[in-house]
Amino acid sequence: MTGSEVPHSFRLAYVPGVTPTKWIRIWNERLPDVPLTLVAVSPAEAFGVLRDGGADAGFVRLPVDRDDLSAIPLYTETTVVVIPKDHLVAAVEEVSTEDLAEEIVLHPLDDTLDWERLPGKPAIERPATTADAIELVAAGVGVLVVPQSLARLHHRKDLTYRPVSDAPESRVALSWPQEETTELVEQFIGIVRGRTVNSTRGRPQTPAQPKATAKAKAKAKRPEAGGAQRKPGSGKAAGKPAGKNPRGGSGGPKGGKSGKPRRRP
């Protein structure tokens, strides 16, 4: 599909923990005639949905295979440990993975963190999903280390969470197929990046008119021909010839006397 072939809707995939509300609101304000459809996907199936055309773009968790997908990293999440409210860890503001060494740390199959070495003691079985792991934490079976957005998503009154200082972090990105960078995808990229509605990206720009310089303005005020002109009222009186007096003298009478003839005795 080329950028000129504009579809009648836009499909946006998103993984658990991502809240696209503010971007959807801006989309609806700017493109009210193009409905946006949300497609909820798991982290494992997100890239397949994009490749198969199930969504035009999607909020995913890095890493992304850049061979056929484009991605714009958006933000990095804090990693936390989810614990019962009466757990000893709840008494501190932050922990390290070493502080969890004696804990059973649950590792669900849909874990989004890239661990080099898992902290704590492993559980007998891995929960299928993060939601299942949360239920086990509430039952007192173990603790769970996840991105903070997932801890909020699965919030329970009997559970709380604390930051883990040295755990891997999860990064969220906007991704789409490289060969499907449509006009609507560009529009959504602009919204996510905070471009204003008047942004000129993707539109032909009107050439800026050069501003007149002070030199050009001065030149425009000069007469086109005939040399310099005097302004009326400057110098000698306007309309009176310079040089000899009309009576034949050179200039006016001396001493300021009038020009009446003198009587002879």
Side-chain angles (χ1 to χ4, degrees), residues 16-76:
V18 176
T19 306
T21 307
K22 64 177 181 179
W23 296 304
I24 296 172
R25 175 180 53 79
I26 297 172
W27 176 278
N28 291 334
E29 291 172 356
R30 295 187 187 179
L31 292 93
D33 297 329
V34 183
L36 187 151
T37 303
L38 287 174
V39 182
V41 295
S42 69
E45 65 184 1
F47 302 117
V49 169
L50 293 176
R51 290 189 176 101
D52 295 340
D56 300 292
F59 290 111
V60 301
R61 295 185 185 276
L62 295 176
V64 170
D65 186 350
R66 301 298 182 107
D67 290 339
D68 60 341
L69 296 175
S70 296
I72 300 174
L74 299 178
Y75 57 89
T76 301

Side-chain angles (χ1 to χ4, degrees), residues 144-207:
L144 175 65
V145 181
V146 290
Q148 183 170 303
S149 65
L150 292 180
R152 290 174 174 172
L153 177 65
H154 299 288
H155 172 71
R156 291 175 51 121
K157 293 182 178 180
D158 53 348
L159 300 180
T160 187
Y161 57 84
R162 294 291 182 270
V164 183
S165 59
D166 56 346
E169 295 175 320
S170 176
R171 293 191 297 161
V172 174
L174 176 66
S175 182
W176 67 95
Q178 291 179 4
E179 301 299 324
E180 298 293 336
T181 308
T182 64
E183 181 181 340
L184 291 183
V185 170
E186 287 285 5
Q187 290 276 7
F188 195 76
I189 291 171
I191 290 173
V192 170
R193 282 185 161 173
R195 295 186 199 132
T196 65
V197 68
N198 296 321
S199 173
T200 56
R201 179 178 176 87
R203 299 189 221 160
Q205 299 186 24
T206 304

